[in-house]
Amino acid sequence: ETGVTQTPRHLVMGMTNKKSLKCEQHLGHNAMYWYKQSAKKPLELMFVYSLEERVENNSVPSRFSPECPNSSHLFLHLHTLQPEDSALYLCASSQDWEGGIDTEAFFGQGTRLTVV
Amino acid sequence: TQLLEQSPQFLSIQEGENLTVYCNSSSVFSSLQWYRQEPGEGPVLLVTVVTGGEVKKLKRLTFQFGDARKDSSLHITAAQPGDTGLYLCAGADGQNFVFGPGTRLSVLP
């Protein structure tokens, strides 16, 4: 149990569907992240939220829309995805996001997304 | 953009063997973390190293941070099938927190 919970664990969606991924952390952390992990590729940082404000968006297509309503919850809204968007989507949290000496990320178990 | 390289990319060994995997960068990091990720799960933090030349041991795992804080190694002694997984290094430099591509280790019984 890492303190970061993601739901659902698995999701299959059509290209015209709208779905949302949910992440919840009760570690008292100030920063939350969405990462994409595809086969044979490094973890790709998608979004960073610090104190509920988006601080980084790494050129992610607009079909991915994050939302951080409070410091404990993070959502990733999905709309008109493509098959190449199929991947493991990981949520993480850390005390702060500045990339400082004590930045240690705690990950959820991920959502395995398949777009058909 | 900071980049971390890891080698080897894949490693398959027999139970009981020793192995070392590497994490390298041309940039200096204030700290470096090692994570292990098992199939279908998220990465789990193993260790953080912060001082150049630092060595940390976690049971059969030995982690070393390079003197210049640009590289790190993970040595596993007498590997077991339970060590199988993706080993990721991640570095923090005060502005960014980046992951390497990982080394996928398979320990065969």
Side-chain angles (χ1 to χ4, degrees), chain A residues 4-103:
Chain A
V4 180
T5 304
Q6 288 187 245
T7 54
R9 292 292 308 277
H10 301 272
L11 178 62
V12 179
M13 60 185 289
M15 289 188 284
T16 59
N17 291 159
K18 289 184 180 180
K19 297 287 184 182
S20 295
L21 309 184
K22 179 181 177 182
C23 177
E24 189 171 350
Q25 61 96 2
H26 297 288
L27 300 170
H29 288 167
N30 295 320
M32 296 187 76
Y33 311 78
W34 280 116
Y35 283 90
K36 176 183 179 182
Q37 188 175 38
S38 305
K40 302 179 182 179
K41 293 178 70 174
L43 278 169
E44 299 174 66
L45 179 63
M46 301 176 71
F47 301 103
V48 180
Y49 275 81
S50 176
L51 298 172
E52 303 156 45
E53 290 191 11
R54 191 190 306 182
V55 294
E56 193 157 322
N57 173 359
N58 284 354
S59 301
V60 179
S62 59
R63 57 186 183 269
F64 295 91
S65 175
E67 179 190 2
C68 187
N70 56 61
S71 60
S72 299
H73 294 86
L74 185 66
F75 295 89
L76 187 62
H77 303 299
L78 314 173
H79 175 52
T80 59
L81 295 192
Q82 304 298 312
E84 59 265 29
D85 296 323
S86 298
L88 181 69
Y89 288 84
L90 291 161
C91 173
S93 71
S94 66
Q95 188 59 56
D96 297 292
W97 83 280
E98 292 89 349
I101 199 168
D102 60 353
T103 301

Side-chain angles (χ1 to χ4, degrees), chain B residues 54-73:
Chain B
E54 180 178 7
V55 176
K56 281 192 174 180
K57 292 192 174 183
L58 184 66
K59 297 183 179 178
R60 293 176 294 100
L61 278 60
T62 301
F63 304 86
Q64 184 163 8
F65 201 12
D67 291 341
R69 305 207 312 277
K70 295 182 178 182
D71 54 83
S72 181
S73 63

